[in-house]
Amino acid sequence: MNKRESTKFKKLYHKYLRALKLQGYSDSTIDCYSRGIRRVAEYFDQCPDSRLTKDDLKQYFIDVLKTHSWSTVKHDLNALKHYWFHILDEEWDWVLIVKPPKVHTLPDILTPQEITQVLSKVKQLRYGILFFTLYTLGLRIGEGLSLCVGDIDGKLMRVHIRQGKGRKDRFAKLPCITYHLLRQFWATHHHKKFIFPSTQSNHQHVPMDRGAAQKAIKLAVLDAGIHKHITAHSLRHCYATHLMENGLNLRAVQTLLGHQDPRTTALYTQLTEVIQQDADKVVNILASRLDFDFDSKEVK
């Protein structure tokens, strides 16, 4: 975009970031929404404002869907609505520009053996320790990357997860092996704040890059010859599923994961082989209890 458009966009963009922060949005939501606005500005090569028509934005979403997921479309739409109302101070009435479908999918789950295979293929130690931590504590990738030295409680063997999803704190149980691995890893860099600090010299006061971590696990899964859709977040799904397979009840798993709604946790009952096998056994026993003689009945 030309200099005039660029200057206008920078001013509105920074105003947008300030508005999101003041309204209490989480860092991940701010990052997501701001990327959406930048994507729109880059697509039209101008500052997003009332010059963009409904048809313009319809075409934008059509083109975005060629390279991005419906989730990205949904986030971009929400970002635009917020930007239009709070920054441009204009009404947003373009409800039917796009309506992402409600898709209910089940995540792919790795077995413990497959997780071991994947970890063995991770080429850099820092990523291997990160993925091990995500799995054994059931963390989201953002929660793992932002772990601070002071969050690790070796006496009570727990980890203080700060400002998780929904800006909620919780405690995660800390396995002994994870505690010792984190101590050993921290001893390799002695960062004053982060367990997983950035290795870039010009970014020493921030955690490791999320995108690089996601790339590392995708490469490890590929090298392990595993044909499942796996991301760093999949390790959290695996953690919950394996806990249930080992007999932990739904309420306990809900607490460990920090889920507010038990229906979210209940998803994992569909993923555990043990529960599915138990269900098969129970329904067959239930049916067999009915003492009914079909042979004595005449088919009409």
Side-chain angles (χ1 to χ4, degrees):
M1 64 182 73
N2 60 42
K3 186 176 181 180
R4 181 180 178 182
E5 288 291 324
S6 180
T7 301
K8 181 180 179 182
F9 176 60
K10 285 180 180 178
K11 182 179 178 180
L12 292 179
Y13 179 72
H14 288 299
K15 183 179 178 182
Y16 183 56
L17 292 180
R18 287 196 300 270
L20 290 171
K21 290 178 181 178
L22 289 172
Q23 290 167 15
Y25 284 89
S26 67
D27 290 342
S28 59
T29 300
I30 292 174
D31 177 62
C32 185
Y33 279 19
S34 60
R35 275 189 282 117
I37 295 300
R38 293 198 305 272
R39 194 161 28 240
V40 173
E42 182 179 351
Y43 178 89
F44 291 104
D45 196 30
Q46 69 170 72
C47 177
D49 55 26
S50 56
R51 290 172 294 174
L52 298 179
T53 67
K54 187 174 182 177
D55 287 337
D56 289 334
L57 290 176
K58 276 186 176 180
Q59 187 59 51
Y60 165 76
F61 285 116
I62 289 172
D63 290 340
V64 167
L65 267 175
K66 295 175 182 177
T67 54
H68 294 74
S69 67
W70 273 106
S71 177
T72 299
V73 170
K74 181 180 177 180
H75 288 145
D76 284 10
L77 181 61
N78 289 335
L80 277 170
K81 288 180 180 179
H82 190 279
Y83 177 86
W84 230 255
F85 183 75
H86 292 281
I87 305 305
L88 300 183
D89 195 24
E90 296 184 11
E91 290 294 328
W92 177 276
D93 59 355
W94 302 350
V95 179
L96 298 178
I97 285 181
V98 62
K99 186 178 181 181
K102 289 185 178 181
V103 180
H104 300 283
T105 59
L106 294 176
D108 285 341
I109 298 297
L110 296 172
T111 65
Q113 294 73 25
E114 288 175 328
I115 291 177
T116 301
Q117 285 179 259
V118 171
L119 291 177
S120 70
K121 296 297 182 180
V122 178
K123 293 182 171 56
Q124 297 186 49
L125 175 65
R126 56 198 174 108
Y127 292 129
I129 301 295
L130 171 65
F131 300 147
F132 188 91
T133 303
L134 296 183
Y135 171 66
T136 57
L137 271 70
L139 305 184
R140 301 176 179 91
I141 185 170
E143 295 170 344
L145 289 172
S146 61
L147 279 179
C148 295
V149 177
D151 296 333
I152 312 299
D153 189 335
K155 291 184 178 180
L156 296 178
M157 296 306 290
R158 67 183 187 183
V159 176
H160 191 163
I161 310 302
R162 303 179 189 275
Q163 299 293 287
K165 189 173 182 179
R167 304 182 76 86
K168 295 182 178 66
D169 283 16
R170 73 178 190 280
F171 289 105
K173 292 189 179 298
L174 178 61
C176 293
I177 186 172
T178 309
Y179 174 59
H180 292 301
L181 279 174
L182 290 176
R183 282 177 61 90
Q184 291 172 12
F185 177 67
W186 181 78
T188 65
H189 58 73
H190 288 284
H191 194 275
K192 293 181 179 179
K193 182 178 181 181
F194 292 112
I195 299 292
F196 299 104
S198 172
T199 57
Q200 299 180 26
S201 58
N202 58 335
H203 291 87
Q204 294 181 347
H205 304 296
V206 297
M208 293 192 309
D209 181 66
R210 177 191 296 251
Q214 292 285 21
K215 183 177 180 181
I217 195 168
K218 287 180 183 291
L219 289 174
V221 171
L222 188 65
D223 290 344
I226 295 173
H227 303 289
K228 294 180 180 179
H229 179 68
I230 299 298
T231 65
H233 194 74
S234 301
L235 297 174
R236 176 173 160 88
H237 294 318
C238 295
Y239 171 77
T241 303
H242 297 161
L243 285 178
M244 287 191 176
E245 288 184 339
N246 282 278
L248 201 61
N249 65 61
L250 195 65
R251 176 58 182 164
V253 175
Q254 179 188 348
T255 301
L256 288 173
L257 294 179
H259 286 160
Q260 186 171 4
D261 189 338
R263 289 176 297 181
T264 305
T265 318
L267 159 74
Y268 299 108
T269 62
Q270 302 178 58
L271 305 175
T272 64
E273 290 186 13
V274 172
I275 289 177
Q276 292 299 328
Q277 290 169 3
D278 287 347
D280 289 343
K281 183 179 179 181
V282 170
V283 296
N284 277 283
I285 291 174
L286 188 66
S288 65
R289 287 177 180 172
L290 298 177
D291 186 15
F292 190 80
D293 185 4
F294 282 98
D295 293 334
S296 65
K297 299 292 181 181
E298 180 181 353
V299 178
K300 296 181 180 181

